[in-house]
Amino acid sequence: MPSNVEIKARVNNCADLRTRAQELSGSDGEILEQEDTFFVCENGRLKLRILKDNPAELIYYDRPDQAGPKLSDFHKVQVENPEDLKKVLGLSLGVRGVVKKKRFLYMVGQTRVHVDQVHGLGDFMELEVMLKEGQSAEEGQAVAHDLMQKLGIKDDDLLTCAYMDLILKEKSA
């Protein structure tokens, strides 16, 4: 199963972060509009990602809820009929919730830098260090820490959970 080292953080100045990410990546990045439907899942997390102007993906992943860089194992498959699959999975497993976001994607070496505007939550940043074959989680964590510093992300801004968890917390409050 592919692995990455991931961090998530709240962002106070989205424009500044995007400028830093553009400079580090040497590109204007790519804009992705995403809708993730999360299903009730006993082990890990299961979501159907519908992307505007791109193929949909069913994604399973498992990672600990902790602050800072964390190892995430995942598997993805492209989906031809996402609305039909969403209905079948919703009926059989149950829907946990939906996350809608506008994502600015920048590639910095082996790392996907996401600057996310999450509907109903605000602005966030996510780093996904895609581990190369034979590369350790510790090496990926070092890459993530280096990028955090270059992007101006502080430890106080780090999140321990997924956007879906934040949305569910807001609903229950």
Side-chain angles (χ1 to χ4, degrees):
M1 201 180 300
S3 297
N4 65 27
V5 171
E6 184 176 308
I7 67 159
K8 257 187 189 59
R10 287 201 180 272
V11 172
N12 296 318
N13 187 331
C14 196
D16 179 59
L17 181 61
R18 286 184 53 212
T19 299
R20 289 177 188 224
Q22 287 171 345
E23 289 169 0
L24 289 169
S25 70
S27 77
D28 290 335
E30 180 181 355
I31 298 174
L32 303 169
E33 293 184 38
Q34 301 177 337
E35 178 184 286
D36 292 344
T37 302
F38 285 79
F39 300 96
V40 177
C41 182
E42 190 172 315
N43 299 308
R45 297 170 193 255
L46 181 67
K47 67 183 172 184
L48 177 63
R49 173 167 286 163
I50 298 176
L51 299 120
K52 184 177 179 184
D53 302 325
N54 287 295
E57 301 172 315
L58 184 64
I59 303 167
Y60 166 82
Y61 66 99
D62 192 20
R63 71 164 185 257
D65 287 336
Q66 64 189 41
K70 50 196 154 275
L71 185 64
S72 177
D73 294 318
F74 65 94
H75 186 74
K76 301 194 274 190
V77 64
Q78 281 193 0
V79 175
E80 288 187 30
N81 299 311
E83 292 301 328
D84 290 341
L85 182 60
K86 185 190 317 184
K87 184 172 185 173
V88 168
L89 290 174
L91 290 169
S92 62
L93 299 174
V95 173
R96 191 163 176 237
V98 177
V99 176
K100 294 180 183 180
K101 64 184 168 268
K102 182 176 185 178
R103 170 167 279 177
F104 299 86
L105 167 63
Y106 307 91
M107 290 302 301
V108 179
Q110 71 190 82
T111 306
R112 296 171 57 94
V113 177
H114 302 148
V115 181
D116 294 335
Q117 297 172 332
V118 183
H119 180 73
L121 288 180
D123 297 330
F124 298 86
M125 183 273 329
E126 182 178 85
L127 299 179
E128 290 180 353
V129 182
M130 305 304 294
L131 296 179
K132 299 174 185 175
E133 188 159 333
Q135 189 174 28
S136 70
E138 291 77 19
E139 290 172 301
Q141 290 172 347
V143 171
H145 278 294
D146 180 58
L147 268 176
M148 280 176 55
Q149 291 177 347
K150 290 176 179 172
L151 292 168
I153 302 301
K154 297 178 178 78
D155 287 341
D156 292 349
D157 298 326
L158 295 177
L159 298 175
T160 59
C161 60
Y163 299 143
M164 184 74 260
D165 299 324
L166 294 174
I167 288 172
L168 292 173
K169 284 179 190 174
E170 294 244 336
K171 283 185 178 181
S172 68

